[in-house]
């Protein structure tokens, strides 16, 4: 499992960098940005895990790539 997480993290870092924007994360999870935003406003199981990776820079919301990779690896 650890090698899977590392491979996913490496792939995401190459594509998105250290931070993933909300539209990029929505695309990655095959959701609409508005749908993902609404899901994170409620106590859904997967949304709670994703919210742990959230970071705000000014008004913008980003997600830490390593934590998103960990979530994706654990969901498989």
């Amino acid at each position: 499992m650890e090698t899977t997480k590392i491979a996913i993290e490496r792939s995401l870092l190459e594509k998105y960098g250290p931070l993933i924007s909300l539209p990029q994360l929505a695309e990655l999870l095959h959701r609409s940005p508005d749908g993902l935003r609404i899901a994170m406003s409620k106590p859904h199981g997967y949304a709670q895990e994703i919210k742990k990776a959230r970071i705000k820079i000014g008004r913008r919301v980003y997600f830490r790539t390593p934590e998103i990779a960990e979530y994706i690896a654990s969901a498989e």
Side-chain angles (χ1 to χ4, degrees), residues 2 7 28 33 36 42 45 47 52 67-68:
E2 189 64 27
L28 179 67
L36 184 58
K42 297 183 169 110
K52 292 177 186 177
E67 292 178 30
I68 296 300

Side-chain angles (χ1 to χ4, degrees), residues 22-43:
L22 187 110
Q24 291 171 332
L25 182 60
E27 176 188 332
L28 179 67
L29 298 175
H30 303 287
R31 302 283 311 258
S32 70
D34 289 335
L36 184 58
R37 192 177 294 116
I38 290 168
M40 289 193 325
S41 70
K42 297 183 169 110

Side-chain angles (χ1 to χ4, degrees), residues 4-53:
T4 304
K5 179 196 171 280
I6 292 170
I8 293 170
E9 183 176 341
R10 204 173 278 150
S11 173
L12 292 178
L13 282 170
E14 285 177 16
K15 185 170 183 176
Y16 299 111
L19 297 173
I20 299 174
S21 68
L22 187 110
Q24 291 171 332
L25 182 60
E27 176 188 332
L28 179 67
L29 298 175
H30 303 287
R31 302 283 311 258
S32 70
D34 289 335
L36 184 58
R37 192 177 294 116
I38 290 168
M40 289 193 325
S41 70
K42 297 183 169 110
H44 293 288
Y46 78 93
Q48 293 301 101
E49 293 298 316
I50 291 172
K51 281 172 71 172
K52 292 177 186 177

